[in-house]
C-alpha cells in the first residue's frame, strides 16, 4: 500500500521525533508504504529553517544507511514551522503551509496530527486545529497522541473531553508503544490459534500468571518527569494493564479493532478495584538504593539528577491483580516492574496447575520427587519467543520426573530486522486501524484501577530506599508471592549471586 498523507508533528525537534518517528517514517518510505505523496511538517518553538530541519532528519536516519540520494529525496518531504501552540496566528500559517503541501504532493486532504509534546498543550492544539480551519472535510483527520494521557482519572477524563470535542474516537490513536511490539501482538495468536492453550486458558488449569517488565537502566535524565510519575503511572497504568487485558480477555467474535477492544474493556472492568486494606495487602512499592552488580556500581535514586533528596517516588512496583469473572476468579495475576533491576527483560509466565495426584510419590523412597509446574513463558524482549516447561522422565533406572523445556526463540537476525514498534503503529494509524492503540474506555478503566492504589500510597510515607540497585526489587515483592505459596519464576539475580557477582 502506498498511502498519501500529510504528517504534522507537534514537538518536531524533540527526542521522540528524532529517536523514533523520523527513522520509522524512513523505514516506511523505504518499503514503499510512503512514496511520492507524503509530506511532514515539523513544528516546535525553535526558529529552524527547512534546510536545518532536513539536516537533522538525515542525521536521525544515518544508522539505517541510506544512500546520499535516498536521504536527500526522503528529507526533501520535510518542512519546518516555528510554532507557539498558544498563538492563534501561528495556526493560520500552519493552515497555509498545510494547504500548499496538500496541493504540491497531492495528498488528498489526508492528515495525521502527531502530538509528541507535553500533554498540557493537547487541548489547546486540537481546539486550534478546529477553530483555524485546518481540519478538512474531505480526506481523513487523525490524531496520534503520546502518553501520558492524564495523571489520574479526572485529568484524563478532562483531556479526553477536550479532544473528543474535536475528533471522534475512531480518529484518535492513543499510543502505547508496547502494543506495537511483536510479541505483545503475538499473545492473541498464542491464545486463539492453539487449541492446547485456548482450552486450558482459565482458572481450572492456570494456577497463576506472572508478568515482569524489568529495566536495568535507572531514571537517567528523566528525573523531572519521573518524580511526578513513578513506576505505577509510568508502566502499570498503561503497558502492564494492556498486557493483563490481552491475557485475560475473552475470545473476540472477530479480529477487528472494535471486537478486540470490547473484550479488553470487559476484562479491565472485571479487575477488582481495591480498598485501602486490599492495596496494602496486594501491592508493594520500592525505590532503588546504591548497588553493585558485577563490577558496575550504581548511585541511589535519590542522588539522580532532578530527584528530591527525600523523594517518595517509587521506582519499583509489584502487585497482585484479581479478576472477578468466571474465567479468572481465584487466579492471581502478579505483576512487577522497576528501574535498576538485574536485567532488562519483559516476559510473561503462565503457570499451570499441578496434576491432581503425584503418582511418582514413591512410598519406599526417603525423598519423593517434586513435580514442576508446567509453565508457558512468552519472551517479549530482548529475546522474542516462547518456551514450555514440561515434566519428563530422568534417564536411567526408575521413574523420577524432571523438568524439560521446549524453547523457541526467534534468531537475533529476525528480531533485528522485524519492524520497530513505532513503524508498525504509524502504519496502522495511516491505515486507520485502531487495534494496537488504547481506546478511551481502556484508559479510563486503567486509571480507575491505578488511582485506588495511588490514593492509599499517598496516605503513608514509604520506607525508602528499600532495594539495592542491580537486584530484582525489595523483599516485600518476594513475600507477596510466598504468602500464597508462590515464587517468582524468573530470577536472573540468582545467576549473579551464585557467581559471587551480587550480594
Ligand atoms: C516508557 C516509560 O513508556 O517505556 C519508560 O516511560 C520506560 O520509563 C519505557 O523506560 C520502556 O520501554 P521499552 O520499549 O524500552 O521497554
Amino acid at each position: 500500500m502506498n498511502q498519501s498523507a500529510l504528517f504534522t508533528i507537534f514537538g518536531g525537534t524533540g527526542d521522540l521525533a528524532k529517536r523514533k518517528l523520523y527513522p520509522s517514517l524512513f523505514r516506511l518510505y523505504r518499503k514503499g508504504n510512503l512514496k511520492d505523496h507524503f509530506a511532514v511538517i515539523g513544528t516546535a518553538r525553535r526558529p529552524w529553517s527547512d534546510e536545518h530541519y532536513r539536516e537533522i532528519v538525515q542525521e536521525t536516519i544515518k544508522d539505517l544507511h541510506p544512500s546520499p540520494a535516498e536521504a536527500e529525496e526522503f528529507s526533501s518531504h520535510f518542512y519546518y514551522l516555528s510554532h507557539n501552540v498558544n498563538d492563534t496566528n501561528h495556526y493560520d500559517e500552519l493552515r497555509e503551509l498545510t494547504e500548499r503541501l496538500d496541493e504540491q504532493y497531492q495528498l488528498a486532504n489526508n492528515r495525521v496530527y502527531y502530538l509528541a509534546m507535553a500533554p498540557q498543550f493537547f487541548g489547546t492544539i486540537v481546539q486550534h486545529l478546529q477553530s483555524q480551519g485546518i481540519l478538512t472535510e474531505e480526506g481523513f483527520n487523525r490524531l496520534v497522541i503520546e502518553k501520558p494521557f492524564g495523571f489520574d482519572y479526572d485529568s484524563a477524563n478532562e483531556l479526553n473531553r477536550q479532544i473528543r470535542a474535536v475528533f471522534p474516537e475512531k480518529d484518535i490513536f492513543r499510543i502505547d508503544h508496547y502494543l506495537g511490539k511483536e510479541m505483545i501482538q503475538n499473545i492473541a495468536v498464542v491464545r486463539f490459534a492453539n487449541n492446547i492453550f485456548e482450552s486450558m486458558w482459565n482458572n481450572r488449569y492456570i494456577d497463576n500468571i506472572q508478568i515482569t517488565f524489568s529495566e536495568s537502566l535507572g531514571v537517567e535524565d528523566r528525573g523531572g518527569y519521573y518524580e511526578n510519575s513513578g513506576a505505577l503511572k509510568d508502566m502499570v497504568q498503561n503497558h502492564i494493564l494492556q498486557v493483563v487485558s490481552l491475557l485475560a480477555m475473552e475470545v473476540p467474535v472477530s479480529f477487528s479493532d472494535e471486537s478486540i477492544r470490547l473484550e479488553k474493556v470487559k476484562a479491565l472492568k472485571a479487575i477488582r478495584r481495591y480498598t485501602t486494606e486490599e492495596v496494602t495487602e496486594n501491592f508493594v512499592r520500592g525505590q532503588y538504593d546504591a548497588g553493585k552488580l558485577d563490577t558496575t556500581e550504581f548511585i541511589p535514586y535519590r542522588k539522580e539528577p532532578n530527584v528530591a533528596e527525600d523523594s517518595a517516588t517509587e521506582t519499583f512496583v509489584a502487585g497482585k491483580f484479581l479478576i472477578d469473572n468466571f474465567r479468572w476468579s481465584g487466579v492471581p495475576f502478579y505483576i512487577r516492574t522497576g528501574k535498576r533491576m538485574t536485567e532488562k527483560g519483559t516476559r510473561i509466565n503462565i503457570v499451570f496447575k499441578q496434576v491432581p495426584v503425584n503418582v511418582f510419590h514413591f512410598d519406599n523412597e526417603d525423598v519423593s520427587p517434586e513435580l514442576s509446574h508446567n509453565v508457558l513463558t512468552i519472551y517479549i524482549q530482548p529475546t522474542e519467543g516462547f518456551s514450555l516447561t514440561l515434566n519428563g522422565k530422568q534417564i536411567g533406572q526408575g521413574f523420577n520426573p524432571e523438568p524439560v523445556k521446549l524453547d523457541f526463540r526467534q534468531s537475533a537476525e529476525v528480531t533485528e530486522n522485524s519492524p520497530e514498534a513505532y513503524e508498525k503503529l504509524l502504519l496502522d494509524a495511516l491505515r486507520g486501524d485502531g487495534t494496537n492503540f488504547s481506546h478511551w474506555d481502556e484508559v479510563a478503566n486503567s486509571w480507575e484501577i491505578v488511582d485506588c492504589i495511588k490514593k492509599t500510597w499517598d496516605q503513608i510515607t514509604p520506607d525508602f530506599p528499600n532495594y539495592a540497585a542491580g537486584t530484582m526489587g525489595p523483599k516485600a515483592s518476594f513475600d507477596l508471592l510466598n504468602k500464597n505459596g508462590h515464587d517468582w519464576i524468573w530470577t536472573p539475580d540468582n545467576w549473579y549471586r551464585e557467581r559471587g557477582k551480587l550480594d
Side-chain angles (χ1 to χ4, degrees), residues 197 349-352 372-377 379 386-392 402-407 489:
F197 296 129
N349 297 112
I350 313 288
V351 184
F352 290 90
S372 293
H373 282 274
N374 295 140
V375 180
L376 169 68
T377 303
Y379 302 92
F386 324 97
S387 69
L388 184 60
T389 309
L390 305 170
N391 285 301
E402 67 175 356
V404 288
K405 200 168 176 182
L406 310 181
D407 201 341
I489 304 263

Side-chain angles (χ1 to χ4, degrees), residues 178-233:
Y178 269 77
L179 296 182
K181 291 189 194 264
E182 196 53 45
M183 291 306 296
I184 299 277
Q185 297 185 351
N186 219 327
I187 293 173
V189 182
V190 173
R191 284 193 56 190
F192 304 134
N194 294 298
N195 201 16
I196 56 167
F197 296 129
E198 197 285 317
S199 55
M200 298 182 76
W201 210 262
N202 57 52
N203 52 7
R204 268 173 294 151
Y205 300 104
I206 292 181
D207 187 78
N208 69 90
I209 291 184
Q210 304 183 8
I211 301 169
T212 302
F213 282 48
S214 76
E215 294 192 79
S216 52
L217 290 179
V219 73
E220 309 227 276
D221 55 0
R222 295 168 74 224
Y225 153 78
Y226 202 81
E227 275 285 89
N228 291 315
S229 167
L232 183 68
K233 294 185 190 178

Side-chain angles (χ1 to χ4, degrees), residues 6 8 10 41 43 81 83 88-103 109 111 113 128-136:
L6 172 70
T8 304
F10 292 89
I41 302 177
T43 80
L81 198 66
H83 182 88
T88 306
N89 294 330
H90 284 193
Y91 290 87
D92 294 334
E93 282 175 46
L94 180 61
R95 189 189 54 245
E96 280 159 29
L97 181 59
T98 298
E99 285 167 1
R100 177 160 75 74
L101 295 179
D102 195 278
E103 212 173 296
N109 289 307
R111 291 167 193 180
Y113 305 97
H128 279 94
L129 289 176
Q130 187 175 51
S131 68
Q132 300 318 107
I134 301 176
L135 304 179
T136 63

